[in-house]
């Protein structure tokens, strides 16, 4: 029997700990935006541009080789269109959340969530699918190996720090009571699926592309709003510092 890889389990434990403990890091909940959140966002974006996007080039070759004839065969850069689809999907989700907040009664907003219950469920289910994807890629990435896993774990753990902050701002008590546990379970579920089944290489490329688009949108939507008073210097340091580490590794 093939032994179960242990390192992905340890990586999942680190990411789960971020979900469960992020709400207790009170120094992050400040205006202007905590420099540590901006650093974390910069690291996440650097990972996408320096590691994931170049890997998508290899993924594009896999997709091109798998498509024979038809309209799709005449379209170039399929993998980057998939990454764009991931970005657009999360942008659409963000617009649904913001629209719900505008119509939410103030009394309820101050206690449990800033959105309606249906939007809360949609938001958490969407991020649960996102987390399942991240968990699955702990085992099945385009670039395998322990060093690749370490870089992926650091980037995604810091990415969770950023997304948890945004989700907690949107859903408050509902996120602490239900959301963080659901996302942690989804991450573990994705990893479990990875142990049980290995998808064809073309689907690994598709999942990686969706992840790249999602990370870019989810980081920038937290950094760009004016009310966040984001810190450009920590973001730049996080981005270029982690990029340098990735390039030198």
């Amino acid at each position: 029997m093939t032994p179960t890889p242990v390192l992905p389990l340890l990586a999942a434990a680190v990411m789960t700990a971020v979900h469960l403990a992020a709400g207790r890091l009170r120094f992050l909940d400040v205006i202007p935006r905590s420099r540590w959140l901006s650093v974390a966002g910069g690291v996440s974006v650097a990972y996408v541009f320096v590691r994931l996007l170049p890997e998508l080039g290899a993924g594009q070759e896999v997709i091109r080789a798998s498509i024979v004839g038809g309209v799709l065969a005449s379209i170039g850069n399929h993998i980057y269109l998939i990454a764009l689809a991931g970005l657009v999907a999360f942008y659409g989700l963000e617009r649904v959340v913001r629209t719900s907040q505008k119509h939410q009664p103030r009394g309820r907003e101050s206690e449990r969530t800033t959105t309606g219950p249906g939007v809360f469920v949609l938001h958490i289910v969407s991020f649960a699918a996102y987390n399942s994807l991240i968990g699955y890629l702990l085992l099945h990435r385009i670039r395998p190996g322990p060093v690749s896993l370490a870089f992926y774990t650091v980037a995604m753990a810091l990415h969770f720090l950023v997304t948890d902050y945004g989700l907690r701002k949107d859903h408050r008590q509902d996120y602490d009571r239900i959301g963080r546990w659901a996302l942690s379970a989804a991450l573990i579920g994705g990893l479990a699926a990875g142990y049980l089944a290995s998808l064809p290489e073309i689907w690994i490329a598709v999942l990686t592309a969706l992840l790249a688009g999602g990370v870019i949108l989810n980081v920038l939507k937290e950094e760009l709003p004016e009310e966040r008073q984001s810190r450009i210097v920590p973001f730049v340091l996080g981005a270029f510092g982690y990029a340098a580490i990735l390039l030198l590794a």
Side-chain angles (χ1 to χ4, degrees):
M1 179 181 295
T2 303
T4 299
V6 175
L7 290 180
L9 288 172
L10 296 177
V14 170
M15 294 183 185
T16 301
V18 171
H19 273 313
L20 299 181
R24 299 184 180 183
L25 304 178
R26 299 302 181 191
F27 64 89
L28 298 178
D29 193 15
V30 295
I31 297 293
R33 185 174 177 81
S34 168
R35 61 176 57 88
W36 298 112
L37 284 175
S38 292
V39 168
V43 168
S44 304
V45 169
Y47 183 80
V48 170
F49 280 93
V50 176
R51 184 56 61 92
L52 288 188
L53 291 185
E55 289 178 358
L56 293 186
Q60 172 61 28
E61 294 305 316
V62 172
I63 292 179
R64 182 180 290 113
S66 302
I67 299 175
V68 180
V71 176
L72 290 179
S74 64
I75 300 175
N77 297 325
H78 309 79
I79 199 73
Y80 300 104
L81 292 176
I82 296 170
L84 177 61
L87 186 150
V88 170
F90 274 99
Y91 177 73
L93 178 64
E94 180 70 7
R95 296 313 305 156
V96 170
V97 171
R98 299 300 160 235
T99 300
S100 175
Q101 288 175 331
K102 292 179 181 178
H103 297 92
Q104 185 67 10
R106 289 293 173 183
R108 190 180 190 284
E109 174 188 327
S110 63
E111 297 175 1
R112 292 178 53 192
T113 182
T114 66
T115 67
V119 174
F120 169 69
V121 172
L122 174 63
H123 214 184
I124 295 304
V125 168
S126 299
F127 271 90
Y130 185 62
N131 272 28
S132 297
L133 185 161
I134 291 172
Y136 186 85
L137 291 177
L138 281 169
L139 271 170
H140 305 285
R141 295 177 310 287
I142 293 176
R143 182 183 299 186
V147 174
S148 170
L149 176 62
F151 285 134
Y152 179 77
T153 301
V154 170
M156 293 301 105
L158 292 177
H159 180 52
F160 283 167
L161 200 64
V162 174
T163 56
D164 271 41
Y165 178 82
L167 288 167
R168 187 167 283 102
K169 282 292 185 183
D170 289 334
H171 304 298
R172 300 179 181 179
Q173 293 179 18
D174 283 355
Y175 182 75
D176 284 330
R177 188 168 52 91
I178 300 172
R180 61 184 178 137
W181 296 101
L183 298 191
S184 298
L187 177 71
I188 299 302
L191 177 61
Y195 282 117
L196 294 173
S198 178
L199 292 173
E201 192 175 5
I202 185 173
W203 285 107
I204 300 301
V206 168
L207 294 179
T208 302
L210 290 172
L211 175 62
V215 170
I216 292 172
L217 190 283
N218 284 313
V219 169
L220 294 185
K221 78 179 178 63
E222 292 298 324
E223 288 292 329
L224 294 181
E226 185 176 350
E227 67 272 12
R228 294 281 200 269
Q229 297 184 32
S230 300
R231 297 176 181 269
I232 182 63
V233 173
F235 182 85
V236 170
L237 289 176
F240 283 97
Y242 202 62
I245 293 173
L246 291 169
L247 291 171
L248 293 173

